[in-house]
Amino acid sequence: MRFPRRRRRNRNRPEAVTPTQPGAPVIEFRGVALTYPGPPPVEALKPSELIVQRGEFVTIVGPSGSGKSTFLNVAGLLDSPTCGHYLLDGIDTAGLRDRDRTALRGRRIGFVFQSFHLLPHRSALENVALAMLYTSVPRAERLTRARAALEQVGLSHRETAVPGRLSGGECQRVAIARALVGRPSLLLCDEPTGNLDSANAASVLALLDELHAAGMTVMVITHDTEVAARGRRTLTVRDGLLREQVTA
């Protein structure tokens, strides 16, 4: 007896996720807040309003414990707000299932962290291509796109080098290429120069400027006022309250 063949579900396509709405902001917070349960409850992010348009360069500053990490986790779809609505590319994330949020995050957000998180025994090219391992992109195309991403960050000549043979600045460039290879709507950076000396930090910041000039939406969370000054807009987080920083 033969059983009917089951259709294979495409696990990479987020169900209940609609295409980007034309003209929609990349990020829109509508009363977004996050309270961690107690006892006692901690209001880590107070109700916030925020719009980040496509192509903006926004920096987020605040002292330790101010709520920057909570903001990062919410904006990066790592944590769900306890109230309000967060729209990413016009998609309301509030009603998404966990797997759909994961798929949306993977498609729309490229992360760059203070630590590079590169696999030590893999080449620069392999580290970038691995970002697409669990997608439907064929291997040959993954390598082609990884090479293009390395060229975009100025490292096409170092694609065979492993992280131990790269400088700190080069490692961060590989990490940025890995974030870009999926063609995200948002490049979300958490202290991207925190582990770099001044020369390498300047090089990475110049690269972020170039990506922004090419149309990428860039958001950088930092405690460094010099890094924050690179943004075209700066927001502050203090005691869980997100505010627009007004310059004189």
Side-chain angles (χ1 to χ4, degrees):
M1 179 177 179
R2 297 183 63 185
F3 293 93
R5 296 179 64 184
R6 295 178 59 188
R7 293 182 62 189
R8 295 183 63 185
R9 177 180 296 172
N10 183 352
R11 299 183 182 274
N12 300 301
R13 186 183 69 83
E15 300 173 18
V17 174
T18 57
T20 304
Q21 296 181 12
V26 174
I27 288 178
E28 185 174 359
F29 279 14
R30 299 176 181 172
V32 167
L34 178 58
T35 299
Y36 294 113
V42 176
E43 194 176 25
L45 183 66
K46 294 176 175 152
S48 302
E49 307 289 329
L50 174 64
I51 290 179
V52 176
Q53 300 289 356
R54 204 163 306 280
E56 284 199 88
F57 190 149
V58 179
T59 50
I60 314 289
V61 296
S64 297
S66 63
K68 296 195 308 297
S69 294
T70 301
F71 172 83
L72 169 73
N73 289 342
V74 172
L77 293 179
L78 299 170
D79 284 339
S80 299
T82 47
C83 70
H85 289 266
Y86 171 24
L87 281 71
L88 176 63
D89 275 345
I91 300 166
D92 192 343
T93 65
L96 297 182
R97 292 172 291 184
D98 286 344
R99 66 179 179 184
D100 293 341
R101 289 171 58 85
T102 299
L104 182 63
R105 180 174 64 242
R107 289 185 171 195
R108 311 290 175 120
I109 302 174
F111 289 93
V112 179
F113 297 103
Q114 179 174 338
S115 298
F116 315 128
H117 299 303
L118 301 178
L119 296 179
H121 302 299
R122 298 280 189 165
S123 69
L125 181 67
E126 291 170 325
N127 267 284
V128 175
L130 281 170
M132 297 178 287
L133 183 61
Y134 297 107
T135 69
S136 58
V137 179
R139 183 178 184 277
E141 185 180 345
R142 292 201 302 267
L143 292 174
T144 297
R145 285 170 58 171
R147 287 190 177 93
L150 285 172
E151 183 176 2
Q152 190 175 5
V153 301
L155 282 183
S156 56
H157 62 296
R158 300 288 274 157
E159 68 175 43
T160 61
V162 295
R165 299 287 184 177
L166 299 171
S167 69
E170 288 175 329
C171 284
Q172 192 61 296
R173 283 174 176 263
V174 173
I176 292 172
R178 182 183 57 198
L180 293 172
V181 75
R183 300 168 183 168
S185 302
L186 172 68
L187 189 63
L188 186 55
C189 309
D190 184 23
E191 301 285 2
T193 61
N195 281 343
L196 303 178
D197 59 32
S198 57
N200 280 314
S203 174
V204 167
L205 291 173
L207 173 59
L208 293 179
D209 285 338
E210 292 172 10
L211 294 171
H212 167 249
M216 174 61 65
T217 307
V218 180
M219 179 173 284
V220 177
I221 289 95
T222 182
H223 71 279
D224 189 324
T225 54
E226 292 185 9
V227 174
R230 304 295 282 252
R232 305 305 181 264
R233 289 171 61 196
T234 299
L235 308 172
T236 61
V237 183
R238 186 175 294 274
D239 298 325
L241 187 61
L242 182 68
R243 289 176 174 164
E244 190 94 22
Q245 181 171 296
V246 179
T247 56

